[in-house]
């Protein structure tokens, strides 16, 4: 059965791949699973039909037969559990890969989101210059230990997994700030993720939506 995901009809990032449908597309591409995309406008996301799929009126969602999912962590985990290639078979290694998914979403992404929001929405506030270094320090407090743990390895725990897919997706959100460049091992790690053919296909697919909406 071909799943359907939702994505922005017009992504505010102009096709830079920062909206969260990219990570779901990436997982589907890694799994070799074809998928359909239903594009939704900002107003449609807040209407009953979409709210039935996503209680918070957001994208992405994932529909496959009787199953409807929201939250990229749950969606990527579901895809990884259904298909080979995104989670190791060995039970302990599998559990560790899932732990990295949670680390990406729960420990690394929150300060990155806060930092991004501050840079985007708080620039005009009188306290911006004072607050930004505090928020940036919280991001750095995650990046240094992550870099230390990764060391010179290609991926976080053995072969590429859904844990790396999620961690790279989260780190890529730092691209506009340039902060990742201060952590060469993490910058190279994110670049390795971006160089994967499945990521390239996912990125191109989300970009095509943006380019089509402009023409
Ligand atoms: N925790 C949820 C998940 O992981 O699925 C978060 C989902 C989420 O934040 N969705 C966003 C959304 O639908 C899109 S991805 N927002 C609309 C709304 O809440 O009304 C976040 C996002 C949006 C835009 C950019 N950008 O343009 O740079 C980057 C990231």
């Amino acid at each position: 059965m071909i799943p359907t995901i939702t994505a922005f009809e017009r992504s505010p990032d102009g096709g830079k791949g920062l909206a969260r449908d990219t990570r779901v597309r990436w997982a589907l591409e890694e799994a070799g699973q074809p998928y359909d995309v239903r594009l939704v406008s900002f107003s449609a996301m807040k209407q009953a039909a979409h709210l039935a799929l996503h209680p918070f009126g957001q994208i992405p969602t994932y529909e496959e037969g009787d199953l409807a999912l929201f939250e990229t962590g749950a969606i990527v985990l579901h895809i990884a559990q259904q298909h080979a290639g995104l989670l190791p078979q060995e039970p302990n290694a599998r559990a560790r890969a899932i732990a990295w998914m949670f680390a990406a979403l729960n420990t690394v992404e929150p300060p990155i989101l806060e930092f991004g929001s501050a840079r985007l929405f708080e620039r005009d506030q009188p306290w911006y210059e004072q607050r930004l270094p505090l928020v940036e320090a919280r991001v750095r407090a995650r990046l240094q230990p992550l870099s230390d743990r990764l060391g010179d390895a290609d991926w976080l725990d053995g072969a590429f997994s859904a844990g790396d897919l999620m961690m790279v997706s989260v780190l890529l959100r730092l691209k506009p700030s340039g902060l990742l460049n201060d952590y060469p091992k993490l910058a190279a790690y994110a670049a390795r993720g971006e160089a994967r053919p499945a990521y390239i296909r996912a990125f191109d697919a989300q970009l095509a939506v943006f380019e089509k909406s402009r023409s």
Side-chain angles (χ1 to χ4, degrees), residues 75-147:
I75 297 170
V76 170
L77 182 57
H78 173 73
I79 296 165
Q81 283 171 332
Q82 300 289 310
H83 302 273
L86 279 167
L87 286 175
Q89 286 302 315
E90 196 276 316
N92 287 356
R94 197 175 179 91
R96 289 196 304 273
I98 294 170
W100 279 117
M101 289 182 68
F102 277 87
L105 293 171
N106 225 19
T107 302
V108 179
E109 190 166 45
I112 289 179
L113 287 182
E114 197 58 34
F115 181 57
S117 299
R119 282 168 39 88
L120 218 57
F121 305 121
E122 295 172 359
R123 241 169 232 282
D124 296 337
Q125 299 298 331
W127 34 261
Y128 176 73
E129 297 295 341
Q130 269 181 306
R131 180 166 190 264
L132 193 67
L134 303 177
V135 180
E136 182 179 319
R138 286 181 206 135
V139 177
R140 291 185 184 278
R142 296 303 181 218
L143 296 185
Q144 190 57 58
L146 182 65
S147 175

Side-chain angles (χ1 to χ4, degrees), residues 5-182:
I5 67 166
T6 51
F8 284 137
E9 188 174 70
R10 208 180 184 92
S11 180
D13 75 346
K16 290 194 184 75
L18 298 175
R20 285 183 174 86
D21 56 295
T22 304
R23 56 185 72 167
V24 172
R25 292 173 186 269
W26 185 9
L28 289 162
E29 292 288 353
E30 291 283 353
Q33 167 66 58
Y35 61 99
D36 291 326
V37 182
R38 191 170 62 251
L39 301 176
V40 288
S41 65
F42 275 92
S43 65
M45 280 193 294
K46 308 300 174 199
Q47 285 163 20
H50 189 77
L51 288 170
L53 294 172
H54 196 308
F56 307 112
Q58 296 184 312
I59 60 97
T61 57
Y62 176 97
E63 292 156 81
E64 183 191 18
D66 291 343
L67 175 68
L69 284 177
F70 62 99
E71 284 297 331
T72 53
I75 297 170
V76 170
L77 182 57
H78 173 73
I79 296 165
Q81 283 171 332
Q82 300 289 310
H83 302 273
L86 279 167
L87 286 175
Q89 286 302 315
E90 196 276 316
N92 287 356
R94 197 175 179 91
R96 289 196 304 273
I98 294 170
W100 279 117
M101 289 182 68
F102 277 87
L105 293 171
N106 225 19
T107 302
V108 179
E109 190 166 45
I112 289 179
L113 287 182
E114 197 58 34
F115 181 57
S117 299
R119 282 168 39 88
L120 218 57
F121 305 121
E122 295 172 359
R123 241 169 232 282
D124 296 337
Q125 299 298 331
W127 34 261
Y128 176 73
E129 297 295 341
Q130 269 181 306
R131 180 166 190 264
L132 193 67
L134 303 177
V135 180
E136 182 179 319
R138 286 181 206 135
V139 177
R140 291 185 184 278
R142 296 303 181 218
L143 296 185
Q144 190 57 58
L146 182 65
S147 175
D148 293 345
R149 171 56 83 98
L150 177 67
D152 293 319
D154 279 354
W155 307 114
L156 286 166
D157 191 341
F160 176 83
S161 77
D164 295 297
L165 184 151
M166 205 53 98
M167 192 63 83
V168 167
S169 298
V170 163
L171 293 178
L172 288 175
R173 299 196 65 160
L174 282 171
K175 250 191 165 180
S177 72
L179 207 66
L180 213 49
N181 298 330
D182 292 349

